[in-house]
């Protein structure tokens, strides 16, 4: 039951993150990102324009503020995450690591082989 509660909480955090990013709500973004949050992109995500690495919750919030409009909630290996999936085809997975009920790490994965191994499942709405 504890893990079920935890995954429900993580889904809420991801929803809040996506909503804040889309809406350009900087304060709300800061509240769901751990102060030491780090964003990393694989080489393929970098080619799509994502920075290789961003450190610090404020800087990560800056990057996502008003962005991620096309991202949807997803599960990655059964853990709450998100994905950019135009026309239902996953192009980039957002793999989150959670700490203290906030997002501590975000990995942007666009490597097709890895995406297939991750078993990304999309949620509608």
């Amino acid at each position: 039951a504890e893990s079920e509660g935890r995954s429900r909480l993580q889904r809420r955090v991801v929803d809040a993150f996506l909503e804040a990013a889309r809406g350009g709500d900087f304060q709300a973004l800061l509240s769901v990102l751990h102060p030491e949050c780090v964003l990393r992109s694989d080489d393929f995500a970098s080619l799509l324009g994502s920075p290789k690495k961003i450190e610090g919750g404020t800087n990560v919030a800056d990057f996502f503020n008003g962005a991620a409009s096309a991202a949807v909630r997803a599960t990655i290996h059964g853990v709450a995450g998100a994905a950019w999936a135009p026309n239902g085809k996953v192009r980039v997975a957002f793999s989150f690591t959670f700490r203290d009920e906030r997002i501590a790490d975000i990995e942007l994965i666009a490597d097709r082989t890895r995406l297939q191994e991750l078993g990304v499942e999309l949620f509608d709405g």
Side-chain angles (χ1 to χ4, degrees):
E2 188 191 319
S3 73
E4 194 177 300
R6 193 169 47 233
S7 31
R8 208 178 10 251
L9 179 77
Q10 290 173 349
R11 284 195 300 272
R12 275 209 305 271
V13 170
V14 171
D15 281 343
F17 167 79
L18 290 173
E19 197 174 310
R22 282 188 201 114
D25 188 337
F26 188 72
Q27 290 306 319
L29 266 174
L30 276 183
S31 72
V32 295
L33 294 172
H34 194 278
E36 291 160 26
C37 181
V38 177
L39 169 100
R40 293 179 184 82
S41 303
D42 71 9
D43 293 340
F44 296 87
S46 295
L47 288 173
L48 293 171
S50 298
K52 206 66 193 126
K53 187 176 186 185
I54 302 178
E55 295 183 72
T58 309
N59 296 330
V60 175
D62 262 339
F63 174 69
F64 281 109
N65 197 17
S69 57
V72 293
R73 185 152 56 83
T75 52
I76 297 162
H77 275 317
V79 178
W84 178 53
N87 305 318
K89 185 175 176 357
V90 177
R91 298 285 305 280
V92 182
F94 298 57
S95 177
F96 296 123
T97 307
F98 298 90
R99 193 182 339 149
D100 306 330
E101 303 180 6
R102 289 192 277 184
I103 296 168
D105 287 289
I106 305 172
E107 192 185 355
L108 299 181
I109 303 156
D111 178 335
R112 281 214 190 92
T113 313
R114 277 194 70 204
L115 284 175
Q116 282 167 339
E117 290 164 1
L118 288 174
V120 181
E121 287 179 51
L122 301 175
F123 281 92
D124 302 318

